Amino acid sequence: MDGAPIIVAEGVSKKFGDNQVLTRVSLPVKERDVVCIVGPSGSGKTTLLRCLALLETPSEGRIVMQGVPISTPQPNAEIKAAGRAVRSDIGMVFQHFNLWPHMSVLENLIEAPLRAKRLPREEAIAIAERLLAKVDLADKRDAYPARLSGGQQQRVAIARALAMSPKVLLFDEATSALDPELRREVLLVMRQLASEGMTMLVVTHEMGFARHVGTRTVFMDRGEIVEEAPGAAFFDTPKTERARRFLQQFED
Amino acid sequence: MFKYQFRWDTVFGSFDFLMSGLQMTLIVSAITLVLAMIFGLIIALFDMSPWRILRWIGITFGEIVRNTPILVQLLWVYYVLPIVFNVRIESLVALIIGLSVYQAAFISEVYRSGIQSVPKGHTEAAQVLGLSPLQSFRRIVLPQAIRMTLPPLASNFVQLIKFSSLGAVISVSEITRRGMELSASNFRPLETFTFIAVVYFFICWPLAMGIRLWERRLQSR
Ligand SMILES: Nc1ncnc2c1ncn2[C@@H]1O[C@H](COP(=O)(O)OP(=O)(O)OP(=O)(O)O)[C@@H](O)[C@H]1O
Ligand SMILES: [Mg+2]
């Protein structure tokens, strides 16, 4: 089952001014892993994801992609170049979708393949259409994002990330901004990706997804990884008091 | 109430004379808008520049222009610039320079808020997907910013039409100046200036209404 590590956070710390948001977080994500990160608000989950997506620079430690360091506190030219080279291998899906509102769904999907990958237009369109069919939105190809429901927008955002064929896909609370009845359609797509062997790192409040789809659950609190367990084990036998208290919130 | 014999024929008799003034008003406003858009972009880039000196220049310029009266600026360009640089400046050129500098200081703010209105998440998505900063600015930020700035730019045009009447003070023969000249010869200021006010109103009002509708349409998208 165990694949090679795709992306690894090695002792990553992050400070905003005096605010220590992450403290020496180490987290390897292996091929075909579906790592779910759970934890209370403000525990640093988003910040960790943003460090892995190269949207933040760690204050300490480093990010390593398939053995190559791609982000350090003071990156030299070589590391910066390595970061640029793997840019499209790391996809991210945001809580608020972040679709580009002035472009149609199809244009959203082909923009990066055309400009960052320099794919021929026909090829980019063919890929986009295949992905739209996969997220069940083939008929929305020419619609503008504002005309879509939140669930549809998030599925377009997932398709847009997939269009760059990333090696790992990061999800930051992809369903939190959605009404409960729209969450299912997004979770279904995520579940399908997981079953196809996509490597995923998923920050979520959906405990059901973490338990049933995740291969590993990571519990974060106050900028640290407090507990880590494979699959459902975290939910059945939490080892720390903090994790137990966190899980109690979700029991009815 | 005093009894007044309206003599509108004194105004309509000089219709062509006044309309040539209106033509001048519109030409001045259009040229000034174009110059102010270009000049405003330069100031906006200064304002947002990573270099402190440029930012300081841009901000200082904007503050000075926005916090002194436009009429004083016009008089300054017309009477002071020629002394300082020892050149003759035509009144028309002085009006265009004065108005476009003034309007540029406001338009630069329009650009800046247009660019800043694009949510950070849009450029972060572009960055994660591998677009370069330049590609992201050109393809993601600019098209959205332009859409946001078009209605305010049109409003600026309406303002310019009104401000260009200040050209009368430095004897640019736009419509207000023509009115002053006409009323000096026909001794009918009431009819003359009422007619001119009506002309301004029926140009500015439909434009302003159109812009308001346009803005509402953009917001509901
Ligand atoms: N750009 C920033 N500048 C300053 N402080 C920040 C910044 N981004 C995050 N923080 C702070 O870092 C801490 C952790 O934030 P983060 O968003 O990573 O938490 P989170 O676990 O994702 O929380 P949530 O579940 O609410 O999304 C918070 O206290 C937040 O205020
Ligand atoms: Mg968060």
Side-chain angles (χ1 to χ4, degrees):
Chain A
M1 266 304 280
D2 261 15
I6 300 264
I7 193 165
V8 186
E10 290 185 1
V12 169
S13 299
K14 179 70 190 177
K15 269 186 177 176
F16 292 107
D18 286 340
N19 187 6
Q20 179 93 36
V21 175
L22 293 177
T23 313
R24 285 186 295 282
V25 171
S26 291
L27 181 65
V29 180
K30 299 200 180 92
E31 215 173 309
R32 299 173 151 267
D33 255 350
V34 179
V35 178
C36 292
I37 303 180
V38 301
S41 181
S43 55
K45 307 179 298 290
T46 295
T47 307
L48 175 61
L49 233 54
R50 289 173 59 85
C51 285
L52 290 164
L54 309 185
L55 289 172
E56 300 292 353
T57 314
S59 319
E60 260 180 74
R62 55 182 201 167
I63 310 293
V64 177
M65 179 97 185
Q66 295 181 307
V68 182
I70 55 169
S71 178
T72 59
Q74 267 105 34
N76 57 25
E78 195 183 337
I79 291 173
K80 280 186 191 161
R84 273 196 301 277
V86 299
R87 188 87 267 185
S88 59
D89 291 340
I90 308 166
M92 181 153 175
V93 175
F94 300 85
Q95 184 171 357
H96 296 287
F97 331 135
N98 290 338
L99 293 178
W100 301 312
H102 57 298
M103 296 182 179
S104 71
V105 165
L106 184 78
E107 287 165 341
N108 264 277
L109 262 67
I110 62 175
E111 181 68 16
L114 284 184
R115 295 186 194 265
K117 266 200 177 156
R118 308 204 163 280
L119 284 192
R121 198 175 175 84
E122 308 75 59
E123 198 178 324
I125 291 178
I127 292 172
E129 284 177 335
R130 182 172 54 73
L131 289 170
L132 281 178
K134 186 185 172 100
V135 298
D136 202 17
L137 287 172
D139 54 330
K140 299 293 182 194
R141 181 184 173 230
D142 297 312
Y144 280 83
R147 294 260 167 275
L148 305 182
S149 73
Q152 291 172 330
Q153 289 189 46
Q154 192 61 296
R155 284 185 282 149
V156 171
I158 293 172
R160 180 176 71 175
L162 290 172
M164 292 300 278
S165 1
K167 291 182 179 151
V168 56
L169 205 44
L170 315 173
F171 291 81
D172 188 14
E173 299 197 23
T175 56
S176 293
L178 302 175
D179 293 335
E181 65 270 23
L182 296 178
R183 288 184 185 160
R184 231 178 61 89
E185 62 190 49
V186 174
L187 289 170
L188 227 57
V189 169
M190 290 167 65
R191 177 172 224 156
Q192 191 195 341
L193 286 177
S195 73
E196 288 167 4
M198 185 78 203
T199 308
M200 294 158 63
L201 185 55
V202 183
V203 170
T204 186
H205 289 300
E206 298 285 340
M207 295 303 138
F209 182 88
R211 177 192 272 269
H212 299 293
V213 185
T215 54
R216 208 143 54 93
T217 304
V218 172
F219 173 61
M220 279 184 75
D221 192 16
R222 287 180 232 148
E224 291 174 317
I225 293 184
V226 177
E227 199 170 324
E228 227 184 305
F234 170 76
F235 297 93
D236 297 332
T237 51
K239 291 191 284 287
T240 59
E241 183 53 36
R242 276 199 263 178
R244 268 192 291 276
R245 234 179 297 134
F246 173 73
L247 285 174
Q248 264 165 20
Q249 298 172 230
F250 297 91
E251 289 166 9
D252 308 299
Chain B
M1 204 38 210
F2 66 104
K3 242 184 143 50
Y4 186 83
Q5 196 67 45
F6 281 100
R7 288 284 309 277
W8 289 107
D9 56 302
T10 60
V11 172
F12 293 119
S14 304
F15 190 75
D16 289 347
F17 179 69
L18 292 176
M19 284 304 114
S20 73
L22 178 61
Q23 194 182 353
M24 178 63 96
T25 292
L26 294 177
I27 290 173
V28 167
S29 308
I31 293 177
T32 307
L33 181 68
V34 173
L35 290 179
M37 279 170 63
I38 298 167
F39 197 30
L41 183 60
I42 297 171
I43 301 170
L45 293 176
F46 272 42
D47 283 350
M48 292 183 290
S49 141
W51 294 289
R52 265 247 298 278
I53 319 155
L54 289 188
R55 270 207 309 275
W56 188 85
I57 293 174
I59 289 165
T60 308
F61 171 86
E63 291 301 328
I64 291 175
V65 171
R66 280 190 298 270
N67 292 297
T68 49
I70 167 77
L71 181 55
V72 173
Q73 289 172 25
L74 269 185
L75 294 173
W76 199 86
V77 171
Y78 189 50
Y79 292 112
V80 181
L81 270 194
I83 303 173
V84 176
F85 293 103
N86 196 22
V87 287
R88 243 188 73 80
I89 299 185
E90 295 270 338
S91 60
L92 177 61
V93 177
L95 177 64
I96 290 175
I97 294 176
L99 280 182
S100 52
V101 166
Y102 180 76
Q103 214 62 348
F106 288 89
I107 287 182
S108 70
E109 292 290 297
V110 170
Y111 288 136
R112 196 158 64 146
S113 64
I115 288 173
Q116 284 168 353
S117 74
V118 179
K120 217 164 141 247
H122 292 186
T123 47
E124 287 184 347
Q127 192 183 337
V128 172
L129 284 161
L131 297 191
S132 71
L134 193 68
Q135 286 174 330
S136 157
F137 184 75
R138 228 171 49 74
R139 300 284 305 165
I140 310 302
V141 177
L142 216 50
Q144 295 192 66
I146 286 174
R147 200 173 295 185
M148 294 291 297
T149 55
L150 284 181
L153 284 178
S155 300
N156 266 283
F157 183 61
V158 175
Q159 263 190 25
L160 275 170
I161 292 174
K162 292 181 289 177
F163 280 148
S164 66
S165 64
L166 291 168
V169 180
I170 54 173
S171 64
V172 174
S173 43
E174 41 66 61
I175 184 167
T176 305
R177 178 75 187 183
R178 286 279 151 98
M180 285 162 70
E181 289 164 6
L182 182 63
S183 77
S185 64
N186 70 2
F187 306 109
R188 288 283 167 177
L190 194 157
E191 288 87 340
T192 310
F193 289 121
T194 305
F195 176 74
I196 284 172
V198 168
V199 170
Y200 274 115
F201 179 79
F202 279 107
I203 292 175
C204 294
W205 185 59
L207 279 174
M209 292 308 261
I211 293 163
R212 216 168 298 161
L213 280 177
W214 187 12
E215 269 178 330
R216 206 168 307 156
R217 269 238 322 261
L218 279 186
Q219 260 152 29
S220 67
R221 259 187 67 107

